[in-house]
Amino acid sequence: MIKLIAESMALRKPPNPTSAELRDHLLRGLQGAATVNENVARQHVSGLSSEERWSLLKFASDGLRDWLLTTYRERELIAVEPLQPVRYPDLPEGLLGRLKEWEDKNRRRLNTRIENGHSRASTTLRRRMVEPIALADFLAKNGITRWDAMKMSDRVAFAKTRPGVAQRKLRTFLSFIDSGNAFKVKRGRPPKKAGKVVRETRQIPIVQPDELKERLSEARKRLSPEQYLLFWLVAKLGLTAKSAYDLTLDCITINSEGRLVIRPAEAWFALPKSIAPIMKSLAQAADSSWPYKNPAKAPALPVMHSVIKRHRMGTEIFQNETTLLRSSAIFAAMHEGQLDRKTLSAITGVSKQTISEMEFLVPADIHSLVSHDLVAARNRAILGNNDD
């Protein structure tokens, strides 16, 4: 061991005084342990940091390197290349101080990752500091010497000089500058806010029921009966264009009352007499033995694929208004009094979240939903004029 260490001291010439000082420190420390015995030398290596073990390999001769690798493997020791140093331009102390705090914070986090068995490149720290240093240099050149003097306009001006990826990398540093709580772990439920919070619902495109009827009437004139059936399923029943186009024979049957019913989602729905004959002819064209005695064992044969090619359906039948027509159909059903979310969802397949958002579009006048006599009696009771 002493001979191998001496070889390493003679063969490995460091490129600069800092590396020479590190080499002498590591090799002389190992030499002192090896003078006792080999086990003490192994214990000494185990007590080094992962970066020091990597440097020891770098400074070792071939024989000492083999011994070190064997020791690392037997004791499951990690050797990681040290982080590359971060170089700063000439900056005011008010900017430089916080940058070095940020460097130390990131260095500790990266070292903790190594201790927990994760890997990291030697350039990780230097790359993380590129954008914060660039921002500090930008501020200094504009006469700003402290981070608390930086305004939003300065951030925007700097962002215009950098690509979008660079701006995203800067967010954590800006959080550190603003509050000092970058990397703060948030666990559990967020604290409840006092008072009520008004949430903005997403804007759902619709047309009024009267206008929807006009579009249905216009579609009947310009489309073939089979194509109009597709239009009707979306603009009247509220199905998606995909679910209407992919309707299969196992979801179409004749019920005990002799009505043609379909099941596009969870519930069966009876088609009106003006539409049912079109669906019936398409079902029989798909399979002449339809309707089946046992619909549960019916084959899943599509019935709409012969009407039009899928890629032409949106343009030629729906005129690129599929979403508008579907949401308008659901709104019209709610406007006519079908306000039960479960029923709407079971028939059309629309999510209950969407239904709840659309409820804000429906006029909720209690007078239109209950008896006028009951409303009058309620009003008399409220006003104190109830003699009953």
Side-chain angles (χ1 to χ4, degrees):
M1 285 290 298
I2 302 298
K3 182 179 179 180
L4 292 175
I5 294 172
E7 281 182 5
S8 302
M9 294 284 286
L11 294 176
R12 297 293 184 256
K13 299 297 183 182
N16 53 62
T18 303
S19 296
E21 184 179 352
L22 178 62
R23 182 203 64 171
D24 293 345
H25 169 72
L26 293 174
L27 288 177
R28 293 190 188 283
L30 181 60
Q31 184 181 36
T35 55
V36 181
N37 57 52
E38 188 174 356
N39 286 333
V40 174
R42 293 179 188 276
Q43 292 175 4
H44 172 78
V45 170
S46 300
L48 298 176
S49 68
S50 57
E51 294 182 354
E52 288 175 332
R53 294 189 200 108
W54 187 91
S55 298
L56 195 55
L57 282 173
K58 179 182 176 182
F59 297 134
S61 62
D62 293 340
L64 181 59
R65 183 183 179 86
D66 292 340
W67 181 86
L68 288 170
L69 289 174
T70 302
T71 302
Y72 293 172
R73 184 173 58 255
E74 291 177 352
R75 299 206 168 200
E76 298 181 350
L77 302 176
I78 300 173
V80 181
E81 184 178 1
L83 292 167
Q84 293 183 4
V86 178
R87 294 179 174 85
Y88 296 95
D90 186 17
L91 295 172
E93 186 59 34
L95 298 174
L96 186 61
R98 292 290 276 169
L99 283 175
K100 291 187 175 180
E101 288 180 26
W102 180 242
E103 178 189 348
D104 292 341
K105 193 178 186 74
N106 278 274
R107 187 185 299 277
R108 290 194 300 270
R109 284 178 58 82
L110 291 171
N111 290 336
T112 301
R113 285 181 57 82
I114 293 300
E115 294 172 2
N116 292 334
H118 299 280
S119 61
R120 56 109 178 108
S122 61
T123 58
T124 302
L125 180 62
R126 182 171 57 80
R127 286 187 284 106
R128 287 188 181 182
M129 295 299 297
V130 168
E131 293 306 318
I133 291 174
L135 175 59
D137 190 48
F138 177 84
L139 295 175
K141 289 178 179 178
N142 285 276
I144 300 173
T145 60
R146 305 187 325 273
W147 288 107
D148 57 359
M150 177 177 60
K151 299 179 181 178
M152 184 57 67
S153 58
D154 299 318
R155 298 186 185 186
V156 173
F158 174 75
K160 291 179 179 179
T161 67
R162 315 294 286 185
V165 175
Q167 295 174 36
R168 289 194 293 273
K169 291 180 179 179
L170 195 61
R171 289 174 185 170
T172 313
F173 173 71
L174 290 175
S175 177
F176 168 75
I177 292 297
D178 292 338
S179 63
N181 287 330
F183 307 129
K184 182 179 180 181
V185 179
K186 298 180 180 179
R187 295 188 177 94
R189 297 181 179 179
K192 293 184 178 179
K193 295 183 179 180
K196 296 181 179 179
V197 178
V198 178
R199 296 181 181 271
E200 182 180 354
T201 59
R202 64 187 178 97
Q203 186 66 33
I204 301 176
I206 62 167
V207 297
Q208 294 299 317
D210 292 341
E211 185 177 348
L212 183 63
K213 289 180 182 178
E214 293 178 3
R215 297 195 181 204
L216 283 163
S217 177
E218 185 272 333
R220 183 183 282 273
K221 295 176 183 177
R222 67 178 173 86
L223 299 173
S224 66
E226 293 77 13
Q227 292 178 347
Y228 175 73
L229 173 60
L230 268 174
F231 188 92
W232 186 91
L233 290 172
V234 173
K236 182 64 177 178
L237 194 56
L239 304 185
T240 63
K242 182 180 184 301
S243 60
Y245 187 76
D246 292 337
L247 202 62
T248 52
L249 283 179
D250 57 327
C251 297
I252 307 171
T253 190
I254 305 294
N255 65 10
S256 58
E257 299 176 357
R259 298 285 301 277
L260 190 147
V261 293
I262 63 173
R263 189 186 59 195
E266 300 177 8
W268 291 94
F269 179 83
L271 294 182
K273 295 180 180 180
S274 60
I275 294 294
I278 308 173
M279 182 68 78
K280 183 177 180 180
S281 63
L282 285 171
Q284 290 175 340
D287 188 354
S288 58
S289 61
W290 183 91
Y292 310 108
K293 292 182 179 179
N294 189 354
K297 296 183 179 180
L301 296 175
V303 298
M304 296 290 184
H305 290 188
S306 60
V307 174
I308 192 172
K309 296 293 185 182
R310 185 189 293 269
H311 68 275
R312 294 166 46 199
M313 177 175 59
T315 304
E316 297 186 15
I317 295 181
F318 303 108
Q319 299 181 332
N320 298 321
E321 293 183 336
T322 310
T323 303
L324 174 67
L325 293 170
R326 188 199 184 202
S327 58
S328 299
I330 298 168
F331 172 76
M334 297 171 70
H335 197 274
E336 293 169 3
Q338 181 55 269
L339 298 173
D340 182 63
R341 295 179 184 175
K342 187 174 182 180
T343 302
L344 277 172
S345 179
I347 292 175
T348 65
V350 65
S351 68
K352 293 181 181 179
Q353 174 66 27
T354 300
I355 295 173
S356 64
E357 291 173 352
M358 292 189 69
E359 286 174 351
F360 288 97
L361 306 175
V362 181
D365 187 357
I366 191 69
H367 295 213
S368 64
L369 303 178
V370 299
S371 165
H372 290 287
D373 293 337
L374 179 59
V375 173
R378 184 204 63 174
N379 291 342
R380 288 198 302 271
I382 293 173
L383 297 174
N385 298 328
N386 189 3
D387 297 331
D388 298 336

